[in-house]
Amino acid sequence: MGGQYRITGDKYPRLRRPKRRRRLVLAAVASVTALGLIGWGTLQLIDVFTGDNDQAAAAGPKADCAARVSPSPKATGSDGSSGKGFPAPGKITVNVLNATPRAGLAKETADELKKRGFRIGDVGNATEEYDKKVKGVALLLGAKAAEGAALPVVNTQLTGARLKTDGREKATEVDLVIGTGFKALSKQKDADKALATLTSPEPTPTATKTC
């Protein structure tokens, strides 16, 4: 062998790593990666079935339950008053007094108010203080306590009346002094509508939870 073969030139064959070693390295890297993924997935599953799940279960009902607010009317008083405190017509006594020269006007008006549920007190001519001195439609007189109760209720039965308080004590007594501008009470349907608007109870919001 010696002397028969010689290496000529400046290029030499490169030595390559055995293919078996490369395969072992790749297999090791793949195994480590797989183990890491498995470990991370296991931790996620533990969180789901332990702490995070409990928090979601505890917070779930609070988040899902919605408070729904719905209006509900106030209760009517045992004395027949509405939720706003106005007395019913049957609790109010109306004295019908005529301050005009037209005869029989007080009785005619009193009869109509009685049909509409009001109590009727005195019926006749107005006193000298108001006789032929009420220029408008009418003058409604009542106690100071009737200012936000009986007076507005009687006022629903006619349009254009003037309200005034005096020193009487009965809060459910009202004087209807008919003036020279008076023609008639409001129509029954219009008066009923005005009364219903005045005395209708205000709705109060009530919250209900729905889950």
Side-chain angles (χ1 to χ4, degrees), residues 6-23:
R6 290 185 302 174
I7 297 175
T8 61
D10 56 356
K11 294 182 180 180
Y12 300 93
R14 293 181 179 179
L15 299 178
R16 296 182 179 179
R17 295 181 179 179
K19 293 183 178 181
R20 184 176 180 182
R21 181 177 296 178
R22 180 180 297 179
R23 290 177 181 176

Side-chain angles (χ1 to χ4, degrees), residues 11 17 38 60 76 102 108 119 124 126 141 172 180 189 192 194:
K11 294 182 180 180
R17 295 181 179 179
I38 292 173
T76 302
R102 296 164 56 187
E108 179 183 338
R119 290 180 178 180
L141 292 171
T172 57
T180 55
K189 62 178 182 179
D192 290 345

Side-chain angles (χ1 to χ4, degrees), residues 3 15-16 27 51 55 83 123 132 137-138 141 151 160 206:
L15 299 178
R16 296 182 179 179
Q55 293 177 359
V123 179
K132 299 179 181 63
V137 173
L141 292 171
L151 282 173
T206 56

Side-chain angles (χ1 to χ4, degrees), residues 30-188:
S31 299
V32 171
T33 303
L35 289 175
L37 291 175
I38 292 173
W40 181 82
T42 302
L43 291 176
Q44 293 299 318
L45 290 175
I46 292 174
D47 289 340
V48 169
F49 289 102
T50 56
D52 290 350
N53 190 41
D54 293 340
Q55 293 177 359
K62 292 182 180 179
D64 295 338
C65 291
R68 181 174 299 174
V69 178
S70 59
S72 61
K74 293 181 180 178
T76 302
S78 59
D79 59 349
S81 62
S82 70
K84 292 183 179 180
F86 292 102
K91 300 293 181 179
I92 301 174
T93 299
V94 183
N95 301 316
V96 185
L97 306 175
N98 186 8
T100 74
R102 296 164 56 187
L105 189 58
K107 185 179 185 304
E108 179 183 338
T109 304
D111 291 343
E112 182 62 28
L113 287 173
K114 186 176 181 179
K115 292 179 182 179
R116 298 183 183 187
F118 290 90
R119 290 180 178 180
I120 303 301
D122 297 334
V123 179
N125 294 325
T127 61
E128 185 179 354
E129 182 182 1
Y130 298 108
D131 189 24
K132 299 179 181 63
K133 297 177 182 178
V134 180
K135 303 299 183 182
V137 173
L139 176 65
L140 297 178
L141 292 171
K144 182 67 176 177
E147 189 174 13
L151 282 173
V153 173
V154 179
N155 193 38
T156 60
Q157 305 303 304
L158 66 166
T159 303
R162 183 165 60 94
L163 278 61
K164 183 180 178 181
T165 59
D166 54 21
R168 76 184 69 194
E169 295 181 356
K170 293 182 180 180
T172 57
E173 181 184 78
V174 175
D175 290 350
L176 170 56
V177 184
I178 301 174
T180 55
F182 179 85
K183 294 181 179 180
L185 295 173
S186 299
K187 293 182 179 180
Q188 178 79 58

